[in-house]
Amino acid sequence: MKLAVLGSPIAHSRSPILQELFASRCKVAPFSYEKIETTRGTLDETVKRLVREGYGGFNCTMPLKTDMAALADTLTREAELLRSVNAVTVTGNVLSGATTDGGGILLTIRRAYGLSGEGRTADGRFLAEKKVLLLGAGGAARSAALSIVLAGADLTVLNRSVGRAEALAAMLPSGCRVGALDGETLCREAAGADILVNATPLGMTGREKFASFAFLDALPADAVVIDAVYEPLETALLRAARARGLRAMSGLWMLVYQGALSFERWTGILPDEKLCGEAFERIGR
Ligand code: NAP
């Protein structure tokens, strides 16, 4: 099976390490997964070449996800609503586009709850009725929000520019509550939230930091904190959450699980929790 990841820049991508580990442990052979530097201007010709050369599929990352949604012949419901594709399966000349980013966050939350097991899926039923507080309204937040809402959770989105949070809410089949990402609103909304997800770059290496972690004190003692940021692996948000006894998960898990769900789309095999744990260790080095 020949696969690839397309994007620009792509040299830093950890996806080949991840996919090759999944393939070797799941005994899928022959298997190759290469990085192909692809810009928005070269996406069309690159995709045509991959189809011609018999590739079974590919991942798309920045800045190609929206353009790939327009190029695909079929889209999953989530990819259609988001107009975003990160995993494509090629069957003959037909390109089937999907997004595994939202499923990746559901499996990350599921792991935080210790709900691993046989026959697991990314349907997120365990999230029904849970209160989720999501920070950010960009690409990562949109994927997370859609999967969280489709799983039946009660979602609130806080964003620096409220207009962008409103646009996110309008994309969701059942909407969500929105507000401003300021300290006061954050503390108020954190009270009673079961899960807090940071999908802003706050705390990322070289970017602005959170002004305060007072909102963590407002979270219930059994709350889960997920940070989409994974550079550094252990962010100040995760450290502060753990210091308060909260369960906290790095965004690297989201990367592992979106890759696992892509692998499942191509091979029919979903890497199990043990293998995902091994992948986390491997790409986190
Ligand atoms: P994006 O589309 O550019 O969106 C950025 C979001 O963060 C926007 O909502 C923006 O608010 C907000 N933001 C930016 N700077 C801010 C600041 N200084 N204070 C408050 N809010 C700020 O980016 P993205 O692709 O969604 O990525 C967001 C983060 O998630 C990045 O750190 C990225 O590395 C991470 N990520 C992780 C994964 C994973 O697999 N773990 C996947 C994708 C992304 P405005 O709307 O007001 O500008």
Side-chain angles (χ1 to χ4, degrees):
M1 179 172 273
K2 281 199 295 188
L3 299 158
V5 57
L6 319 185
S8 182
I10 202 65
H12 66 285
S13 173
R14 305 180 207 200
S15 292
I17 300 172
L18 190 63
Q19 297 298 339
E20 279 157 16
L21 177 70
F22 290 155
S24 93
R25 292 288 184 274
C26 297
K27 305 200 181 334
V28 176
F31 184 93
S32 66
Y33 185 101
E34 66 196 280
K35 298 185 246 197
I36 303 176
E37 178 73 24
T38 311
T39 61
R40 295 184 64 195
T42 59
L43 177 63
D44 196 27
E45 68 187 69
T46 304
V47 169
K48 284 187 178 128
R49 176 173 72 78
L50 298 189
V51 171
R52 250 191 341 265
E53 294 180 5
Y55 280 70
F58 52 90
N59 281 126
C60 273
T61 185
M62 296 292 286
L64 309 174
K65 293 182 183 184
T66 305
D67 291 339
M68 194 58 231
L71 267 188
D73 298 298
T74 68
L75 293 174
T76 59
R77 180 176 178 221
E78 289 193 29
E80 173 81 54
L81 285 166
L82 290 165
R83 301 306 301 169
S84 173
V85 162
N86 79 320
V88 176
T89 306
V90 183
T91 316
N93 287 329
V94 178
L95 302 169
S96 308
T99 175
T100 65
D101 289 332
I105 194 157
L106 294 191
L107 290 180
T108 301
I109 298 171
R110 189 181 155 120
R111 188 174 184 111
Y113 279 112
L115 294 173
S116 55
E118 292 305 310
R120 73 205 158 84
T121 64
D123 68 8
R125 264 171 294 188
F126 62 95
L127 267 182
E129 315 291 318
K130 289 267 192 295
K131 286 195 169 167
V132 181
L133 180 57
L134 176 63
L135 316 185
R142 285 168 62 84
S143 305
L146 181 59
S147 293
I148 286 166
V149 161
L150 291 178
D154 172 358
L155 177 69
T156 300
V157 174
L158 303 184
N159 196 46
R160 184 173 59 179
S161 51
V162 179
R164 202 165 173 199
E166 283 165 349
L168 187 162
M171 174 271 298
L172 299 172
S174 51
C176 69
R177 297 196 312 132
V178 301
L181 183 52
D182 59 53
E184 198 186 321
T185 314
L186 198 41
C187 286
R188 192 179 62 242
E189 295 296 335
D194 299 297
I195 298 154
L196 181 139
V197 179
N198 172 41
T200 76
L202 284 169
M204 192 174 165
T205 306
R207 303 293 292 265
E208 223 176 290
K209 297 178 168 52
F210 277 94
S212 154
F213 289 125
F215 61 89
L216 292 175
D217 296 320
L219 285 170
D222 60 352
V224 164
V225 174
I226 313 279
D227 199 344
V229 173
Y230 55 86
E231 280 170 0
L233 193 54
E234 183 72 358
T235 62
L237 172 63
L238 295 179
R239 268 200 313 278
R242 289 199 183 108
R244 286 163 171 82
L246 301 169
R247 285 169 285 183
M249 300 283 287
S250 163
L252 199 69
W253 285 109
M254 292 162 55
L255 198 72
V256 168
Y257 284 123
Q258 65 74 28
L261 292 167
S262 296
F263 185 80
E264 183 188 31
R265 292 192 68 80
W266 300 316
T267 65
I269 303 167
L270 183 62
D272 64 18
E273 287 296 333
K274 186 162 170 280
L275 178 51
C276 287
E278 186 182 346
F280 180 89
E281 294 300 324
R282 178 78 65 88
I283 66 171
R285 275 182 202 152

